[in-house]
Amino acid sequence: MVIGRRSLLAAGGAAALVPWLPAWAQPISSGLPTVVGSDIHLKIAHRMLTVDGKTSHAIGINGTIPGPLVRLKEGTEARIHVTNALPDEDSSIHWHGLILPFHMDGVPGISFPGIAPGATFTYEFPVKQSGTYWYHSHSGLQEQMGHYGPLVIDPAGTDPVAYDREHVIVLSDHSPLHPHVIFKKLKQMGGYFNHQKQTLAGLLAGKDQPLKDRMAWGAMRMDPTDISDVTGAAYTYLVNGLGPDDNWTGLFRPGERVRLRIINASAMTTFNVRIRGLKMEVVQADGLNVRPVEVGEFQIAVAETYDVVVTPGDGAYSLIAESSDRSGMARATLAPRAGMTAPVPPLRRRPLATMQDMGMGGMDHGAMDHGGETMKHSMRDMSLAPAVKDTPTVQSISPMPVDRTGDPGQGLDGEPGVLTYRDLVALDRNPDTRTPSRQLQIHLTGNMERYMWAFDGVKMNEVKAPIPFTEGERVRVTLVNDTMMTHPIHLHGHFFELVTGKGDHAPRKHTVNVQPGGKVTFDLTADAPGDWAFHCHLLYHMHAGMMQVVTVRPAGEAA
């Protein structure tokens, strides 16, 4: 979809390229509708989705996938009427990254009851911020079926980002399999969708790990190719609801500054994004402005957003979003004229997990020469994390987790010009620069064989009490990843400052990706009273239990 600053683009003759798509879904950037105004109406309903010529069942909003672009203005009041036209299940919309009253946050069971079939719920809240955000269902696994859409808030004053034209790029993953079937298969076999395991032929050819490392990892029942739970074996990766063959195309005039508002609305996929032949100037992260930084590639975790500015010449460019496990890609084209394409590079070689991904810090493979049995025992030393409950949900405890905010992400080591969290510097001074008055450590735990996920060894359905905060207090939170999977952790209703050495201009985010075996620290001002969801944004991890409730209460009031 496109919002041209100087003019709107005409879809032109692209309809002939993909005749099975309705007019709004043609792969030229006039695309999806935009809804604006003082009263916005959204309708959630079943529909069919055609991707690369194959049709399957989905859930859309106002008849589209993604849902329409909701465009708001900072300083106004939003009133959004959401009707659930699903015949037999409740639904909801959560406004991801928005600062609003907790009862408008849209999480059934925490902030409101949900929206019953046939019912309409009206969300009303003041619009206090600007930037790129998105919205999605927080009911069951509906998000996997297409229940998501972009949300852009225009600033009340002058936008510090100069650009001539913008495109909204919604990345997602789609499967013809019903999400409950996907979840069932993950419970039966955690690596069910991993079709890129190491082979004997690869060993004989000298590829991947040498024999001694394979034996050591095997003794620990660890698979270095286990990068993503759900892969390209089940997914087609989408740009604005269109598959790689559909080739969504965003138009521009040569020499324009083109702003790309990139949203990762997928259920389970971390993407590595690059545009062949173009440098990208990162100007915003999670909706908040940052000092411009030029990069060649960046990793975007599920639920994160990045705004970048590019200045293309008179040619076509392929926008490539590879899944981090390299099992597939989303692909789009930026071009000055409809019908132009650019070469699409092949998928790069899939990465292998390392000792660092097992929480071994900088230990190299030579440390495993003593054999897998020794390492096996050290991988679940509960004395290293006394606050973690010893349950079947804890398969391992990272022995030496290190801060990995300076890492580009799995598979990107050695790639030129890749963004890391430590490159981000807030454009504006942080609103609260107080020293935290207390510290909190939370472990991200899991059992990959039984597909169980939790915070501190306790699944959501076993939680007895929320995580308490006193209104106004400043807390330093450290997330320790005791698993070999990345976890994009999202706190509703708040922004937090990443502790990456940027002082009073620390980057502020609502979602942070915690690399395998690593840790991330952020400072949080608990300034939003109410109950808020806190969870991993990998949909099936959340569904399996990696979720908690954070409660913020005035001093003296019990949680």
Side-chain angles (χ1 to χ4, degrees):
M1 67 203 75
V2 63
I3 305 295
R5 272 207 144 186
R6 292 175 176 167
S7 63
L8 294 175
L9 298 176
L17 300 175
V18 191
W20 63 79
L21 296 174
W24 56 261
Q26 295 299 329
I28 293 295
S29 51
S30 59
L32 298 175
T34 299
V35 290
V36 298
S38 56
D39 281 279
I40 290 173
H41 295 266
L42 300 176
K43 182 178 179 180
I44 304 163
H46 289 293
R47 55 155 303 191
M48 302 303 289
L49 176 65
T50 300
V51 175
D52 289 347
K54 299 177 182 177
T55 301
S56 57
H57 177 225
I59 295 176
I61 303 169
N62 289 8
T64 67
I65 297 173
L69 169 61
V70 174
R71 192 126 202 165
L72 304 176
K73 178 80 170 179
E74 183 183 14
T76 64
E77 294 287 328
R79 187 162 56 246
I80 306 175
H81 312 276
V82 178
T83 298
N84 176 15
L86 301 175
D88 53 5
E89 57 183 313
D90 287 5
S91 191
S92 58
I93 286 184
H94 161 60
W95 314 100
H96 188 99
L98 265 58
I99 302 301
L100 36 61
F102 84 94
H103 59 286
M104 292 288 126
D105 193 45
V107 182
I110 296 178
S111 53
F112 82 141
I115 309 172
T120 297
F121 182 83
T122 299
Y123 294 84
E124 295 182 277
F125 53 87
V127 182
K128 297 181 176 180
Q129 62 204 97
S130 63
T132 301
Y133 303 93
W134 63 297
Y135 58 93
H136 61 83
S137 172
H138 231 293
S139 299
L141 300 174
Q142 294 171 1
E143 183 188 330
Q144 175 73 92
M145 299 185 71
H147 185 338
Y148 52 79
L151 190 156
V152 171
I153 305 175
D154 294 308
T158 302
D159 194 327
V161 180
Y163 61 100
D164 303 303
R165 179 189 305 266
E166 72 174 27
H167 292 292
V168 176
I169 307 286
V170 180
L171 303 172
S172 62
D173 44 28
H174 174 74
S175 176
L177 293 176
H178 192 281
H180 285 291
V181 173
I182 294 176
F183 187 69
K184 180 180 179 181
K185 291 185 179 300
L186 290 171
K187 291 291 288 185
Q188 292 170 334
M189 183 189 297
Y192 181 87
F193 296 103
N194 180 6
H195 294 185
Q196 300 189 102
K197 295 185 178 182
Q198 297 183 110
T199 63
L200 176 59
L203 178 64
L204 296 175
K207 298 178 180 177
D208 301 327
Q209 291 179 318
L211 180 59
K212 67 175 184 178
D213 288 348
R214 293 187 187 211
M215 294 178 66
W217 280 66
M220 292 184 290
R221 307 183 74 172
M222 297 291 186
D223 181 356
T225 69
D226 192 6
I227 305 298
S228 300
D229 293 346
V230 190
T231 70
Y235 283 148
T236 300
Y237 301 107
L238 311 183
V239 173
N240 292 341
L242 297 170
D245 293 341
D246 295 334
N247 188 28
W248 180 89
T249 299
L251 300 182
F252 61 84
R253 293 191 181 95
E256 284 185 325
R257 283 176 57 85
V258 182
R259 181 176 190 166
L260 304 176
R261 299 181 182 269
I262 301 174
I263 301 164
N264 187 351
S266 63
M268 292 293 289
T269 306
T270 302
F271 288 106
N272 297 324
V273 179
R274 68 191 195 277
I275 304 173
R276 296 192 76 188
L278 285 180
K279 290 289 186 181
M280 298 178 287
E281 187 179 65
V282 178
V283 295
Q284 201 175 85
D286 283 5
L288 299 184
N289 296 313
V290 297
R291 293 176 184 170
V293 55
E294 188 175 271
V295 302
E297 186 168 4
F298 63 89
Q299 184 168 95
I300 183 169
V302 174
E304 288 185 316
T305 73
Y306 282 104
D307 284 26
V308 304
V309 174
V310 297
T311 308
D314 189 11
Y317 304 84
S318 288
L319 185 153
I320 302 298
E322 276 184 334
S323 62
S324 61
D325 69 332
R326 309 271 166 80
S327 63
M329 69 167 70
R331 168 250 185 157
T333 298
L334 301 178
R337 292 172 293 280
M340 296 180 69
T341 59
V344 178
L347 288 167
R348 293 174 291 189
R349 185 169 177 74
R350 58 112 165 84
L352 291 177
T354 66
M355 297 292 285
Q356 202 170 38
D357 297 322
M358 285 201 295
M360 299 290 188
M363 184 183 293
D364 59 25
H365 286 263
M368 300 175 69
D369 287 346
H370 296 294
E373 192 63 25
T374 300
M375 299 302 296
K376 179 180 177 182
H377 289 302
S378 66
M379 288 301 295
R380 200 177 184 281
D381 184 351
M382 299 301 295
S383 68
L384 298 174
V388 175
K389 192 170 182 179
D390 190 352
T391 70
T393 312
V394 184
Q395 189 175 21
S396 59
I397 295 291
S398 294
M400 292 177 284
V402 296
D403 185 327
R404 301 189 66 182
T405 54
D407 288 6
Q410 284 181 301
L412 293 178
D413 285 330
E415 296 291 339
V418 183
L419 181 78
T420 75
Y421 284 149
R422 292 184 191 175
D423 295 323
L424 298 175
V425 182
L427 187 65
D428 301 316
R429 188 172 187 268
N430 299 152
D432 189 351
T433 59
R434 292 176 297 160
T435 301
S437 59
R438 69 180 175 103
Q439 298 194 22
L440 176 66
Q441 188 174 89
I442 298 172
H443 285 252
L444 318 180
T445 56
N447 185 321
M448 297 167 72
E449 293 179 356
R450 299 174 65 177
Y451 210 73
M452 302 163 69
W453 303 97
F455 290 130
D456 288 337
V458 183
K459 296 186 297 181
M460 179 64 180
N461 62 1
E462 302 166 337
V463 167
K464 304 298 183 186
I467 300 173
F469 289 89
T470 300
E471 183 180 2
E473 75 168 332
R474 184 99 166 132
V475 182
R476 175 156 292 185
V477 180
T478 296
L479 303 175
V480 180
N481 189 346
D482 289 321
T483 80
M484 281 182 56
M485 307 301 293
T486 60
H487 297 288
I489 302 298
H490 173 47
L491 174 60
H492 289 220
H494 295 78
F495 280 88
F496 45 78
E497 294 81 43
L498 295 184
V499 179
T500 55
K502 300 303 187 291
D504 59 3
H505 283 72
R508 307 185 71 221
K509 292 178 63 60
H510 51 60
T511 304
V512 62
N513 199 31
V514 189
Q515 296 291 339
K519 60 183 181 181
V520 166
T521 298
F522 61 78
D523 291 340
L524 169 71
T525 299
D527 56 1
D531 295 333
W532 303 97
F534 174 64
H535 60 91
C536 177
H537 222 288
L538 296 180
L539 184 63
Y540 299 107
H541 288 191
M542 180 179 69
H543 194 66
M546 190 175 274
M547 182 171 180
Q548 243 284 23
V549 177
V550 163
T551 187
V552 180
R553 294 285 187 270
E557 183 176 315

